[in-house]
Amino acid sequence: MYSFQQAQSAVPKQHDEGAFQRVSVNLAGRLMLANHEEYDCTATDMSPGDVLFSCEARPRTGERIIAYIDHVGRLEGTVSRLSDDAFVIKITATDRKREKLAAQLTWIANKHELGLPEDRRHDRLAPRKTRTELTLDDGTKYVCRIIDLSLSGAAVDTESRIPIGTGVQLGGMKGRIVRHFLEGMAIEFFGVQSREALREFL
């Protein structure tokens, strides 16, 4: 289920942990220590700069951690603080990755306010393919970035705010804009989609 492949080399930028706003979350995942031991974990507090894990693992300060977190995806970083049953890693990422993480956390923090009539059984997924086109009923196309996706809706970011109620098509899925929020717009699909319909983005 999880693939702990060697990270691609990138020059991380130095960020102060306190420079980012943290979001309280409850996201399950799995992580790997430097000795390749794997553990189930839960991310309980997160920002684009760091993440607090509740986990049975007992890493060392400064140890490199690779984690896969539901709705967020792969994270990599080094342990900056330890407690009896939890630890914080300082995330190693490019600015582009941090921007994506910030958008994902914004969605997580605000999804209870989005007004989407989603069935909670429809887990939200972080798509692998994020760049695509959003097509309006009149044929107008907008380049968009998918923030989050489920069988019943999606969150997308475009340069233009499309009016609420507008009919749109994302890939082969039709729906309408139901809400604007800080990082973009929420789409409600016309009916629950199949996983096959989402496959091109996952």
Side-chain angles (χ1 to χ4, degrees):
M1 182 176 179
Y2 298 93
S3 176
F4 292 101
Q5 297 177 351
Q6 184 70 23
Q8 294 180 349
S9 60
V11 180
K13 291 188 178 289
Q14 297 299 317
H15 290 271
D16 177 10
E17 290 179 20
F20 298 101
Q21 181 177 354
R22 291 181 176 85
V23 174
S24 293
V25 296
N26 183 26
L27 302 176
R30 192 163 176 84
L31 59 78
M32 184 177 71
L33 305 183
N35 63 3
H36 303 291
E37 290 182 358
E38 297 183 17
Y39 293 86
D40 292 331
C41 62
T42 302
T44 59
D45 194 78
M46 191 181 300
S47 82
D50 60 4
V51 54
L52 172 64
F53 285 112
S54 174
C55 185
E56 293 182 357
R58 298 273 65 86
R60 304 179 307 276
T61 300
E63 183 171 347
R64 178 172 174 262
I65 302 291
I66 298 174
Y68 284 81
I69 308 301
D70 289 353
H71 311 298
V72 173
R74 178 189 171 112
L75 294 177
E76 182 179 347
T78 54
V79 176
S80 60
R81 293 198 302 276
L82 291 165
S83 67
D84 289 342
D85 58 356
F87 57 89
V88 174
I89 70 166
K90 187 173 183 181
I91 296 171
T92 303
T94 62
D95 282 348
R96 183 174 180 181
K97 171 68 174 178
R98 289 185 199 278
E99 289 172 4
K100 178 181 178 182
L101 181 56
Q104 291 170 320
L105 291 175
T106 298
W107 171 256
I108 292 167
N110 289 289
K111 65 181 180 180
H112 67 282
E113 299 175 359
L114 292 177
L116 282 175
E118 65 174 354
D119 187 325
R120 290 190 178 273
R121 292 173 298 176
H122 300 153
D123 290 340
R124 294 208 159 264
L125 308 168
R128 285 194 174 91
K129 176 186 175 183
T130 58
R131 298 284 177 176
T132 187
E133 286 187 334
L134 197 62
T135 305
L136 275 56
D137 288 344
D138 65 5
T140 304
K141 294 182 183 294
Y142 291 92
V143 174
C144 75
R145 179 174 62 89
I146 302 174
I147 300 170
D148 213 337
L149 193 62
S150 82
L151 302 184
S152 54
V156 300
D157 181 25
T158 64
E159 290 186 0
S160 302
R161 286 296 178 99
I162 300 169
I164 292 172
T166 302
V168 296
Q169 183 167 333
L170 182 68
M173 301 168 291
K174 292 186 177 182
R176 63 187 179 92
I177 304 296
V178 294
R179 185 67 60 92
H180 293 161
F181 59 101
L182 181 62
E183 297 290 338
M185 300 172 293
I187 300 171
E188 175 194 350
F189 296 142
F190 295 145
V192 176
Q193 305 296 308
S194 67
R195 287 193 175 272
E196 189 65 33
L198 275 62
R199 190 174 299 279
E200 67 173 291
F201 300 111
L202 302 177

